[in-house]
Amino acid sequence: MKTFSKTRRPGPPAPVSGTALGDSGLYALLFGQARDSIIVLELPSSGVPVIRDANPAALALHGYSMGELVGKPITVLGASPNRSRFPGRKSSGSTIFEVRQKRRDGTLLVTEVTARNVRQGAVLYGILIERDITRRTELEEEGRQVSARIMLAREAEKKRLAASLHDAIGAMQVGMSSALLLVEAEVRQGKKRRAYARIAEARGLLKKVTSDLKGACVESWPPGLSVSGLGSALHELLTRFSLRSGISVHEDKASYRESGTESPLDIIIYRLAQEALNNAEKHSGAGNLYFELGVDSGWLKLSVRDDGRGFDMGKTKNKKNSLGLKIMAEAAESAGGYFSFYSKPGDGTLVKAELPIPKGPGTLL
């Protein structure tokens, strides 16, 4: 009997006597009914820890049966102590860390593990309590990707503004320098009438360049949005777009209450319209653009359609403007709305967004 007791495989640690868990029936009940995964390991002095017990939540989480886990090394779960996402932190004698592993079906599983060692006689056990945080980590990763895309969009906006300012200032410098040299030459030659004409030309050039600079600033942040409301800001945006691109705009908008203050919904609609127009100007080669904004059953609906060259939707992942489409989709989704687009080679492009109108005071009538 002595020899048998030395060679038999140890079982999981028994409940601590003198506590509420001293009742083995209650201990088994709590172990079996726990919503979190609980795994009991035997920790040898050297080598890989071995699984000695697992509750039903652990079996469901990992996709194994009891027979497939008990007596197997912890590596059967597709994880190892070296694959934790963050270094462990201590909390009341326990170590807390995150582990990336795989379920039995091969899908990714990320768990937050609270580990604690318990010694029973000569045997050291490890108790692992796991909580599934796979979805949380997926959302965190999505958040990082969205942040990266927003950063890229902001950088693109800065580059656009810098290019506009650079071109306008460069044109003003060259034009004004040339005009002043000509004025100087006319004055020296005594041709006052001609000099006055040159001054008038320089004044006109200065006025045009100043207008271009103001336009670049307005596109970066439209003052009309807070002063006159979304309707006026969109009209000004469409007017500048048509003059700059040569594309005829056909405008159909809902009525607006010009409250003099912008809402988050106004800003999102303006940015969606701005991005759609930028894409049309750069890529469409269109002659006409149809802009519609209306209200239907508590939803604000935006539609921007052009009659340009269009593109193959199956190849958008390889196109430079696909990032702009993703940014637009994320902007609409951030307001609880929907974004879609349709295009076909030779048949133009249609961009649509639908955003829920918040209850209470708003911009739309």
Side-chain angles (χ1 to χ4, degrees):
M1 295 295 293
K2 219 173 197 181
T3 304
F4 176 78
S5 84
K6 284 184 179 178
T7 58
R8 70 185 178 89
R9 187 174 63 196
V16 180
S17 61
T19 68
L21 294 180
D23 186 330
S24 60
L26 179 58
Y27 173 83
L29 178 65
L30 294 175
F31 185 77
Q33 295 297 318
R35 297 179 63 182
D36 290 334
S37 162
I38 303 176
I39 296 176
V40 180
L41 306 176
E42 181 182 339
L43 306 177
S45 56
S46 63
V48 180
V50 177
I51 300 172
R52 290 305 182 203
D53 203 357
N55 71 340
L59 301 178
L61 179 63
H62 292 277
Y64 289 90
S65 67
M66 184 69 78
E68 292 172 318
L69 287 185
V70 173
K72 302 296 192 303
I74 186 65
T75 51
V76 74
L77 298 179
S80 71
N82 296 325
R83 293 180 64 182
S84 53
R85 185 179 171 203
F86 297 116
R89 64 183 189 273
K90 296 289 185 178
S91 177
S92 302
S94 300
T95 302
I96 302 173
F97 52 92
E98 294 182 12
V99 176
R100 290 182 179 270
Q101 48 198 305
K102 289 184 179 179
R103 294 183 175 89
R104 192 176 191 279
D105 61 7
T107 58
L108 175 67
L109 172 64
V110 184
T111 59
E112 182 181 77
V113 180
T114 302
R116 188 182 186 96
N117 293 346
V118 177
R119 183 172 294 278
Q120 183 179 2
V123 182
L124 182 64
Y125 292 96
I127 300 177
L128 308 181
I129 301 177
E130 299 179 295
R131 181 161 296 176
D132 186 357
I133 58 170
T134 306
R135 182 54 182 159
R136 189 185 83 187
T137 56
E138 289 173 349
L139 292 173
E140 289 174 354
E141 180 60 29
E142 289 176 10
R144 283 190 289 271
Q145 292 179 4
V146 170
S147 296
R149 289 170 184 165
I150 291 173
M151 182 187 70
L152 290 175
R154 286 175 176 170
E155 290 303 311
E157 186 68 24
K158 291 177 183 178
K159 288 179 182 178
R160 250 195 318 262
L161 177 60
S164 298
L165 294 175
H166 179 273
D167 293 345
I169 293 172
M172 179 176 66
Q173 181 183 11
V174 173
M176 291 299 293
S177 296
S178 300
L180 291 174
L181 287 173
L182 291 173
V183 169
E184 182 181 4
E186 300 290 354
V187 170
R188 284 180 177 178
Q189 296 172 15
K191 300 177 181 179
K192 292 184 178 180
R193 186 172 297 177
R194 185 61 181 164
Y196 287 142
R198 297 287 187 189
I199 292 173
E201 291 175 6
R203 187 181 294 115
L205 175 63
L206 180 61
K207 184 177 180 180
K208 180 182 182 303
V209 172
T210 302
S211 176
D212 291 342
L213 288 172
K214 288 182 177 179
C217 293
V218 165
E219 290 215 359
S220 177
W221 179 254
L225 195 59
S226 58
V227 175
S228 305
L230 179 59
S232 298
L234 287 173
H235 179 73
E236 186 177 355
L237 178 67
L238 291 167
T239 300
R240 289 199 311 273
F241 163 79
S242 184
L243 291 173
R244 185 176 63 246
S245 66
I247 299 175
S248 298
V249 173
H250 306 271
E251 185 178 350
D252 182 10
K253 301 198 308 297
S255 299
Y256 290 86
R257 180 187 302 117
E258 310 301 353
S259 61
T261 58
E262 76 272 15
S263 70
L265 185 65
D266 293 342
I267 296 170
I268 292 173
I269 284 292
Y270 185 89
R271 292 306 182 193
L272 288 172
Q274 189 179 44
E275 186 63 34
L277 295 178
N278 286 337
N279 286 340
E281 182 178 358
K282 291 179 180 179
H283 308 291
S284 72
N288 295 278
L289 181 135
Y290 302 87
F291 184 94
E292 297 181 15
L293 186 65
V295 182
D296 183 16
S297 302
W299 288 77
L300 180 58
K301 298 186 176 183
L302 171 69
S303 171
V304 182
R305 178 172 60 89
D306 67 62
D307 60 2
R309 63 176 66 94
F311 59 89
D312 185 350
M313 293 179 63
K315 298 179 179 179
T316 53
K317 291 183 178 179
N318 299 322
K319 294 180 74 68
K320 291 182 179 179
N321 65 334
S322 64
L323 178 61
L325 294 172
K326 290 177 182 176
I327 295 295
M328 294 170 74
E330 287 159 2
E333 290 168 4
S334 72
Y338 305 94
F339 173 82
S340 62
F341 67 94
Y342 173 80
S343 188
K344 186 169 73 173
D347 198 28
T349 300
L350 170 64
V351 172
K352 298 179 71 175
E354 299 182 17
L355 306 180
I357 301 172
K359 295 180 179 180
T363 307
L364 292 165
L365 286 176

